[in-house]
Structure formats: structure tokens, C-alpha cells
Amino acid sequence: METDMDSRKEQILQTVIHSYIFTGKPVGSHTVADSCGLRVSAATIRNEMATLEKLGLLTQPHTSAGRVPTDIAYRYYVDMLIGRTRPSPKDAEAIERLFEARTREIEGLLHEASLLLSTLTHTAALVFAPVTQADMVRHLDVVMLGEHRVMVIVITSRGQVGRMLADLGEPVSANTVERASRYLDESISGKALENIDSDSLVEGPGFGPAGRELVRIAVEAVRGYLSSIEERVFIGGTANIVKEMEHAGAEWVQTLLEAMDKQYFLLDLLKDLMCEKHLTVRIGEENRLRELQKCAFVGTSYPISPGLLGSLGVVGPTCMDYARTISMVEFMAENLGRRLLSPPD
Amino acid sequence: METDMDSRKEQILQTVIHSYIFTGKPVGSHTVADSCGLRVSAATIRNEMATLEKLGLLTQPHTSAGRVPTDIAYRYYVDMLIGRTRPSPKDAEAIERLFEARTREIEGLLHEASLLLSTLTHTAALVFAPVTQADMVRHLDVVMLGEHRVMVIVITSRGQVGRMLADLGEPVSANTVERASRYLDESISGKALENIDSDSLVEGPGFGPAGRELVRIAVEAVRGYLSSIEERVFIGGTANIVKEMEHAGAEWVQTLLEAMDKQYFLLDLLKDLMCEKHLTVRIGEENRLRELQKCAFVGTSYPISPGLLGSLGVVGPTCMDYARTISMVEFMAENLGRRLLSPPD
DNA sequence: GATTAGCACTCTCAATGGCAGAGTGCTAAT
DNA sequence: ATTAGCACTCTGCCATTGAGAGTGCTAATC
């Protein structure tokens, strides 16, 4: 079997891919002959393309249209044919500008990162910042909202914040709330989840029944927060999915968008990333999630704090500009990491 | 001009609207004659429909198709023809279940509210919880992330929380951060934005140059947070826009989705609501925002705390089931309000 | 032996025309 | 005022056609 790839086949494959990325239309032998730089005729190209088709790298939508790259071709392209590239100065600047302010609200930053990434790559972008599971309580506040209602705010040692509404069975006074807030802050601060003992706390300094209930509920809220992993994914540019993926069929786009609404769907995807250190590209059927099997996913992880990784990525058509997208995702991850990561002391 | 509406015209109009909402197809005179309950023939219906067309309430997509309601017809329908309705027990229960937990993380609650509302109404749902502008600082924390980086966390008296990253020019020690955190908490807590004086704070108790810079930056971060209105809109069910609005043309759906990504676009919309006390329905061109002029918006406000309103609403096709949607939006607003509002003491 | 020109073949796409169906407006009768 | 009936109009669907694009194969060429 003399069916191996040689450099000419590679060049033809590359030309087909580039042309297809650019025009979105199947590529014919003449087009390739004109623009591949090889000084051979269209007939030769045809022969080579026939072999590439046998190898599973190209297909024809119908008998007499040009060729279209398969998922396997994109895989080959990504692995072998594109070197490491950096974003263009203009793109790099756009990303860097996002990070130049000296003080920056975190949620806003992540949200804007997803928007920027999506507009630069014409894809839907996902940014995910996980929280560490078991953490210590740094500060606790109980804010009175009404006679029967308080808000419990907890700050963890890593700087995560939870705000919980809590309903009380019995009315409490502002005074009680204030005392409970101080008491709880003092007793809980510095403790980890497993060291917070509801029972002994309730036995605290002379609260009435209402006060005791308040303490109990507040502790319950804190426990609930610390044990539930409140994980948000920031999504930007879902509109791009509609624009770029129309050719894949309306009802399919539909399903993908629905899936994007469900956060747990994305969490699986993004958590996978955090296992691998390197940038990951999943093309078509390589994706485990059925909804993604008609598109490509490019993602990577970035450091948040020592021992904690976040992840980000984009979802776009399989015929995306991989070189550009990869460089952009990588660059965004680097910058985000640099901005968030606390360097080791 | 004897062109006024009479009760028969109303009934015909209503039948056309109901049928169009149900089937999505233009409605012919026979269909109306069969299902409107009037004991008249199709020819009579035709005459009446011709008048309704002259009145601007119906149109024909082409010469010989059935009739389709105009925006004006929907307006008339909403104003005159539907009474106040409540959601079905099943829908009501679904909404109530969202609120039954005794302690609940707020962001998660709002997010899920938008998801639920969108699935129940088959529209895109928006939930907006504003923050009061000038508020007092209740608690302040500075968390060390690295030698050159801290996180400033501020809790306002209303229970809003901001987390800001801040970069420092000079390295600081854990000790300094800890001292500064306590110092700032004690000096700033209870103060409103305009009473926070950076200069005098920096003159605090014997910090070195690094400590002073830290204080200065932290205050800057707090000021930044308190003056910027960190406003988030929770969006659910954008996929429904694609599903329900296909007939309006792909590139238009495209523009709407892009607009939904931009939060400021939605903020205008949602803030408008908070001026009016009642539920608002804007149909087609009644919307000021061009992107919405091919769909309908149903929204209302809900109380968050005394003197503070949030708002929520849905965006769907003009041929939506207004009765159902309105009842759902209203019911969700009531429940959300009841859950969030602190009743006056 | 690799490459190429030439040609027949296949398939898509856009335009065309015909036909059934749905719905209308109008007129004349009730 | 209402209705039955009829001619008319327009869409949607189907089949047909012809141009165009691209292929695979064969035979000639370097």
C-alpha cells in the first residue's frame, strides 16, 4: 500500500482546508491547482484528491461538487500542519486592553472576557471559574431584610462570596440579628465546613428561641453554600452559533442553543479541560456530547490560584479558522491567568 | 362612518387571533365560521373580515391567503379581549416550587427563575435585579492573593457584594494586608460613598509606603464599585427565539440575538419597566428598540426591598399566547417579590 | 512511470410552466 | 342583512429543462 501521505498531498490538503475555511464552498481541482503553488495540472490534483478521499480526509457532498475536508482532515491539519501562532497585534491589543485596569470587578471581567473572545473568533465563548470545594470561612454577615427574613453573606478564605436568603419561622428583632451576626462571625471565622457544629453554636450566649432559630438557619445556609459548588459559566456570543452554523440545519442549531442554556451541560465540558494541561481541540464526532458533534470545540485551562484551574473555550463550526482561534484562546487564557493568578510567594 | 367595532367583529377578531396563535397559519373565513360559535356563513365572515382589514386589524400575506392579525389587533386583543387570568395549577406549582426552599442563594435563584420562565412561556426570559446606587459600606475585607495582588471584597448595608481584583505596585506582606483589612473595615464600615475620604485614610496608623498604597488602592476599588452600578441581567431561553421566530427571517433573528448579548441593550428595556407600576405589553413597532420591532415584549416590575424595584420580562413572537404569558410573568413577579421583599417592619 | 489533455458523465441549481388547492371579492338571490 | 355561487388570484408542489461545475477515465506525452 503506497497510500501514505507525502508532502504534495499535505500541501493539497492544506489548500483545500484553507479555501474551504475562507469560502465555505466545496473546493474543486482547478481552484486548488491555481492556488496551491504546485506547478501541476488540475488532473494531477484530481488524482491526488481521489487518494485523499480514499484515505478518509476528503469527501464530496455530491458526485460532482468539489471536495470538503472531513473531521479527520481537520484533525490532521491541527496536529501536523499548523505551527504555534500568536494573535495579530491588533487582536492581542484588544485582549490586553481588557486587563489593563488596576482594579477590576471579577464577575464583570469574566463576562467581558467571554464577550470579547466570542467577537474576535466569531464563535460562542465559554469562560468558567470554578471554586475550591472545601474552604474556610473568613467572614460571615447576617443582614436583616425583614422581621421574618435575613440575608446570610459568607466570605471564604479564598475570597468567594455567597449570598443566601433565609426565611425565619419566628420574627426577630434588629438587635438579635446584629448580635447573632457578630456572634456567628466570631465563632465561625477561620473554620472549615466540617468543623462547624450547628448544635454547639445554638447553645451560644443567651439567645431567645427566635435567636436560636436564626443561628440554626444561618448555619444551615452557610453549610449549604460551602458544600454546594456554586459554579457559573459565562457565555458570550451565542448569536454567532446561529450565524456560523446555519448550514448545519435549523433544528440542530436549536438543540445546541438549548443545551447551552443548561449550565450542567457546559460544566462537564469545561471540567474535562482542567485535567489536561494543554490546549484541547475536539472536532466533530470527537466530542463526547452529541450536541457538539457537528461543531468544533477549542478550549484550555488557565490558573486561578496555586492548585486551582479555571477553563475557557469556544464552540464554532468545524470549518473554523483553527490557527486564529487557537492562538486567541491561548492568549486569552494566558492573560486571564496572569490577571487572576496569585504568584507563589 | 359606521365602521366601529361591534361585538360580532370582536368575536371574529378574537377567533382569528386564537387560531393564528395556535396554528401559526393565516386564517380563512371558513375556519372562522366553523369555530367562532356565530351561526353565520363564511361569506358573512368574509365581509366582516374585509372591514376589519380596512380598520387596520387584519392583513393578508398575499391576495389569496387567510388573514393574519396586525400589531394593532394584538394591542386591541390585549387591552379589551382578555381578562385577568391566573396560570394553570400545574404552571403555578412549577413556579412555586422554585421558591419553596428556606435558604436560597440569590444569584442562583434569579438565574433559575429566568430559565423556568422561558421554558414555561417558550420565550426568552429576562430577570433583572438592580442595586441601589449610593449605599453604605457594611463590611470590607482585603484578601491577599499574592505579593502584588489582593482582592477587595465589600458588602453594602443592603447586602450587595462586590469583589475587586487589585494590583499593587509594591509587594506587601501578609501581615500588612491583614492589618490594612481590619483598619479599613473599622474605618469605612457604616460610611456612605461620599463620606469616604481617601486622603485622610492613608494617613492612618503607621503604614509603610506599601501599606499606604494598599489602602489607597483598596479605597479606589471600593469607590469604583459603589459608584459603578454593577447590574446583571439573567437571560434564559435564547434558544426559544430561534425556534419561535424563524419565520421572521434568519438575519433578523441574528441581530436580535446579538443585541441580547449586549447587556446595556436590555438594561434600557428593563429600567423602563420600573417606572410603570403595571405590567407592560409592547407589541411589534410599539417597541422603541428596533431589534424588538418584530416581536412582543411582556414585562413587569417586582419589589426587591422598600423603595427598590427589579424587573423581569419575556421576549417572544408577536403571535404569542398573550393570556398565558401575561399570567405567567405576573405570577413569577409576585412570587419573586414575595421571596425577595423584606416586608416593612 | 508520472503527468496531462480531452471527453463523457453526473449532479446541482435556477428557471419555467402547469396544476391543484385555498381563499377571496363580487353579484344576485333570499 | 345574509348567503350561495362563481370567477379570479395567488401559493405551493411537481416535473422538465438547460447551463455550469466538477469528476473519473482513457489515451497521449514528457
Side-chain angles (χ1 to χ4, degrees):
Chain A
M1 286 284 250
E2 188 45 62
T3 49
D4 262 352
M5 291 292 284
D6 54 36
S7 100
R8 191 170 71 181
K9 286 195 186 59
E10 275 191 353
Q11 189 156 356
I12 292 172
L13 182 62
Q14 183 153 22
T15 311
V16 172
I17 291 177
H18 282 157
S19 166
Y20 188 62
I21 287 174
F22 191 69
T23 68
K25 304 208 176 308
V27 188
S29 53
H30 280 97
T31 321
V32 176
D34 288 351
S35 62
C36 71
L38 296 168
R39 317 198 69 249
V40 291
S41 77
T44 312
I45 305 283
R46 272 204 289 284
N47 288 329
E48 293 285 46
M49 295 214 296
T51 333
L52 285 171
E53 182 159 357
K54 283 202 194 76
L55 287 172
L57 293 164
L58 296 178
T59 30
Q60 316 186 359
H62 25 267
T63 320
S64 174
R67 255 67 173 214
V68 166
T70 64
D71 290 357
I72 304 177
Y74 289 124
R75 174 87 274 157
Y76 189 87
Y77 174 69
V78 169
D79 287 345
M80 320 289 272
L81 267 34
I82 53 177
R84 282 276 158 271
T85 51
R86 307 250 73 188
S88 73
K90 217 180 123 198
D91 295 332
E93 200 203 315
I95 293 180
E96 276 161 352
R97 200 172 10 235
L98 194 63
F99 297 96
E100 69 193 9
R102 282 186 72 189
T103 72
R104 196 67 165 77
E105 215 276 324
I106 295 185
E107 305 245 312
L109 180 66
L110 295 175
H111 184 223
E112 281 184 31
S114 77
L115 281 181
L116 180 58
L117 191 55
S118 73
T119 49
L120 290 179
T121 59
H122 308 293
T123 58
L126 317 170
V127 176
F128 173 54
V131 297
T132 27
Q133 193 92 10
D135 214 344
M136 281 191 189
V137 175
R138 180 189 169 89
H139 175 80
L140 185 143
D141 241 324
V142 184
V143 180
M144 179 153 186
L145 296 178
E147 271 197 328
H148 288 84
R149 183 167 299 151
V150 294
M151 188 193 296
V152 181
I153 303 174
V154 51
I155 302 180
T156 73
S157 55
R158 286 268 168 72
Q160 293 129 10
V161 176
R163 301 159 67 205
M164 280 75 61
L165 282 178
D167 273 344
L168 306 172
E170 302 183 48
V172 291
S173 69
N175 186 10
T176 313
V177 173
E178 202 49 45
R179 270 173 56 220
S181 179
R182 262 170 234 262
Y183 167 64
L184 282 167
D185 183 29
E186 279 161 23
S187 0
I188 289 185
S189 291
K191 284 199 183 160
L193 171 60
E194 56 274 16
N195 297 330
I196 299 174
D197 180 9
S198 181
D199 294 340
S200 70
L201 280 171
V202 174
E203 299 309 320
F207 286 118
R212 283 166 182 241
E213 199 209 0
L214 174 59
V215 169
R216 212 174 44 67
I217 299 231
V219 171
E220 182 187 318
V222 173
R223 301 183 75 97
Y225 174 68
L226 289 182
S227 56
S228 84
I229 353 163
E230 166 238 278
E231 304 193 294
R232 279 191 50 69
V233 181
F234 295 86
I235 308 177
T238 43
N240 289 324
I241 288 187
V242 181
K243 176 150 53 181
E244 305 287 333
M245 306 289 306
E246 278 179 301
H247 59 85
E251 96 293 348
W252 178 82
V253 170
Q254 175 66 29
T255 349
L256 178 56
L257 285 179
E258 269 166 20
M260 301 271 282
D261 263 345
K262 318 266 181 287
Q263 302 251 331
Y264 60 83
F265 167 90
L266 299 171
L267 286 177
D268 285 349
L269 186 64
L270 290 161
K271 282 184 179 167
D272 271 10
L273 286 183
M274 302 187 305
C275 305
E276 341 214 357
K277 269 221 150 177
H278 294 301
L279 183 130
T280 304
V281 179
R282 296 227 186 79
I283 299 159
E285 314 233 326
E286 293 171 9
N287 285 294
R288 260 187 274 143
L289 301 158
R290 192 167 323 121
E291 290 86 346
L292 286 179
Q293 291 186 349
K294 287 190 181 182
C295 38
F297 174 78
V298 177
T300 191
S301 61
Y302 65 90
I304 289 182
S305 57
L308 183 61
L309 293 177
S311 55
L312 59 87
V314 305
V315 174
T318 50
C319 62
M320 70 166 74
D321 184 341
Y322 288 94
R324 194 178 138 83
T325 308
I326 289 174
S327 69
M328 224 84 94
V329 167
E330 222 158 31
F331 193 68
M332 180 63 90
E334 275 170 29
N335 276 274
L336 205 49
R338 199 175 315 135
R339 187 62 166 113
L340 295 181
L341 178 63
S342 14
D345 309 288
Chain B
M1 285 285 249
E2 188 44 64
T3 49
D4 262 351
M5 292 292 284
D6 54 37
S7 101
R8 192 171 69 181
K9 285 196 188 61
E10 275 191 353
Q11 190 156 352
I12 292 172
L13 182 62
Q14 183 153 21
T15 311
V16 172
I17 291 178
H18 282 158
S19 166
Y20 188 62
I21 286 175
F22 191 69
T23 67
K25 303 208 177 306
V27 188
S29 52
H30 280 98
T31 321
V32 176
D34 289 350
S35 61
C36 71
L38 295 167
R39 317 198 69 248
V40 291
S41 79
T44 312
I45 304 284
R46 273 205 288 284
N47 288 330
E48 294 285 45
M49 295 215 294
T51 338
L52 285 170
E53 182 158 357
K54 282 201 195 77
L55 287 171
L57 293 165
L58 296 178
T59 29
Q60 307 180 280
H62 23 266
T63 319
S64 174
R67 254 72 172 210
V68 166
T70 63
D71 290 356
I72 302 176
Y74 289 125
R75 173 89 275 157
Y76 189 87
Y77 174 70
V78 169
D79 287 345
M80 321 289 270
L81 267 33
I82 53 177
R84 281 279 158 267
T85 52
R86 306 250 74 190
S88 74
K90 217 181 122 197
D91 294 332
E93 200 204 315
I95 293 180
E96 275 160 352
R97 195 167 19 228
L98 192 64
F99 297 95
E100 70 193 8
R102 282 186 72 190
T103 72
R104 195 68 164 77
E105 214 276 325
I106 295 185
E107 305 246 311
L109 180 67
L110 296 176
H111 184 222
E112 280 184 32
S114 77
L115 282 181
L116 180 59
L117 190 56
S118 74
T119 50
L120 289 179
T121 59
H122 308 290
T123 58
L126 316 170
V127 175
F128 173 54
V131 298
T132 27
Q133 194 92 9
D135 214 344
M136 282 191 190
V137 175
R138 181 187 167 91
H139 176 78
L140 185 143
D141 240 324
V142 183
V143 180
M144 179 152 185
L145 295 178
E147 272 197 328
H148 288 86
R149 183 168 297 152
V150 294
M151 188 192 295
V152 181
I153 302 174
V154 51
I155 302 179
T156 73
S157 54
R158 287 266 169 71
Q160 292 127 10
V161 176
R163 302 160 67 205
M164 281 75 61
L165 282 178
D167 273 344
L168 307 172
E170 301 184 48
V172 290
S173 69
N175 186 12
T176 311
V177 173
E178 203 49 46
R179 272 173 57 220
S181 180
R182 263 171 231 262
Y183 167 62
L184 282 167
D185 183 30
E186 278 160 24
S187 356
I188 289 185
S189 289
K191 285 200 183 159
L193 172 59
E194 57 274 17
N195 297 330
I196 299 175
D197 180 9
S198 180
D199 294 339
S200 70
L201 280 171
V202 173
E203 297 309 318
F207 287 116
R212 284 164 181 238
E213 199 209 359
L214 174 59
V215 169
R216 213 174 42 69
I217 300 233
V219 171
E220 182 186 318
V222 172
R223 300 183 76 98
Y225 174 69
L226 288 182
S227 56
S228 85
I229 354 163
E230 166 238 277
E231 304 193 293
R232 280 192 49 70
V233 180
F234 295 86
I235 307 177
T238 43
N240 288 325
I241 288 189
V242 181
K243 176 150 54 184
E244 304 287 334
M245 305 289 306
E246 279 179 301
H247 59 84
E251 94 294 347
W252 177 81
V253 170
Q254 176 66 29
T255 349
L256 177 56
L257 285 178
E258 268 166 21
M260 301 271 281
D261 262 345
K262 318 264 179 287
Q263 302 250 331
Y264 60 83
F265 167 92
L266 299 170
L267 287 177
D268 284 351
L269 186 64
L270 291 161
K271 282 184 179 168
D272 270 12
L273 287 183
M274 301 187 305
C275 305
E276 341 214 358
K277 269 222 149 178
H278 294 301
L279 183 130
T280 304
V281 179
R282 296 226 187 80
I283 299 159
E285 313 233 329
E286 293 172 10
N287 285 293
R288 261 187 274 141
L289 300 158
R290 191 166 325 119
E291 290 86 345
L292 287 178
Q293 292 186 349
K294 288 191 180 180
C295 35
F297 173 79
V298 178
T300 190
S301 61
Y302 64 91
I304 289 183
S305 57
L308 183 61
L309 294 176
S311 56
L312 60 86
V314 304
V315 174
T318 48
C319 61
M320 70 166 74
D321 184 341
Y322 288 94
R324 191 179 141 84
T325 307
I326 289 174
S327 69
M328 222 85 93
V329 167
E330 224 158 28
F331 193 68
M332 179 63 90
E334 276 170 28
N335 276 275
L336 205 50
R338 199 174 314 133
R339 187 62 166 114
L340 295 182
L341 179 64
S342 13
D345 309 286

